[in-house]
Amino acid sequence: IAQATGIKIAQAAGRENIKEINNINNIGLQLSIIIAIIFAFLLYLFPTNITNIFVDIKLSNNKDILSSTIHFIYIIAIYQIFDSLQTITNSSLRSLKDTLFPMLIGIISYWVIGLSTGLLLSYYFNLKGIGLWIGLTTGIIILSISLLLRINKKIKNLNKII
């Protein structure tokens, strides 16, 4: 979806059709988020079934794995919604030749905010792996929102130029 969105936006940009750029971006975002939400609900509703695909939870020494895995799956469900958002917006920005800002905000979001929050939660608050994933999810939420604001600003600026 991200690749198709980016290609279609680049073609519309070549034609200098701002309305089409905006429509394609919105359709790509909506489609991606709808699919991500559907899968997030599936993850949220069936964490035990998903875990059972990979681990036999009927074995007594695997019972602890189920408890941990369910928490990870809930966090991943949230993570994937924002990951789909950032994937589309990143592709849209790339197709409009905007690559420096997404790279810098990606570094800040993942490495500075996400990783430091994850390490703090993992070690200082003793949340271990769950803390790391909460930190990474925090980073991707910030990245997604930043890129969404950037693409909206970029499209508004195109209206002024063309």
Side-chain angles (χ1 to χ4, degrees):
I1 296 170
Q3 292 295 326
T5 301
I7 290 167
K8 296 298 283 179
I9 286 176
Q11 291 171 343
R15 290 189 297 275
E16 298 182 348
N17 189 337
I18 308 305
K19 185 178 179 185
E20 189 178 359
I21 291 170
N22 195 37
N23 287 341
I24 293 165
N25 184 59
N26 288 336
I27 290 167
L29 286 170
Q30 291 167 5
L31 183 59
S32 178
I33 289 173
I34 288 169
I35 292 169
I37 288 172
I38 289 168
F39 280 100
F41 275 126
L42 291 174
L43 288 169
Y44 185 77
L45 293 173
F46 304 108
T48 305
N49 302 46
I50 294 168
T51 303
N52 203 27
I53 294 170
F54 302 100
V55 177
D56 187 1
I57 57 175
K58 293 176 185 164
L59 297 176
S60 60
N61 52 342
N62 288 342
K63 297 278 185 205
D64 293 336
I65 293 173
L66 178 62
S67 174
S68 296
T69 306
I70 289 173
H71 294 297
F72 280 111
I73 288 175
Y74 290 158
I75 294 168
I76 298 294
I78 296 166
Y79 181 95
Q80 80 166 11
I81 293 169
F82 289 95
D83 188 43
S84 71
L85 178 64
Q86 74 84 22
T87 302
I88 298 294
T89 52
N90 226 334
S91 182
S92 297
L93 287 166
R94 193 177 316 116
S95 67
L96 295 173
K97 300 178 184 177
D98 186 359
T99 56
L100 181 62
F101 178 84
M103 180 192 70
L104 294 175
I105 197 67
I107 290 169
I108 292 167
S109 297
Y110 283 126
W111 291 99
V112 176
I113 297 169
L115 191 59
S116 61
T117 302
L119 291 174
L120 181 71
L121 292 172
S122 294
Y123 293 105
Y124 187 76
F125 291 99
N126 201 29
L127 293 176
K128 301 177 182 166
I130 297 293
L132 182 62
W133 273 100
I134 291 171
L136 293 174
T137 302
T138 302
I140 203 155
I141 289 170
I142 291 168
L143 175 63
S144 302
I145 293 168
S146 300
L147 293 178
L148 187 59
L149 293 172
R150 178 69 173 196
I151 190 68
N152 287 333
K153 180 181 177 185
K154 190 85 171 172
I155 292 171
K156 283 180 186 174
N157 286 343
L158 287 174
N159 278 325
K160 294 176 186 174
I161 295 171
I162 298 176

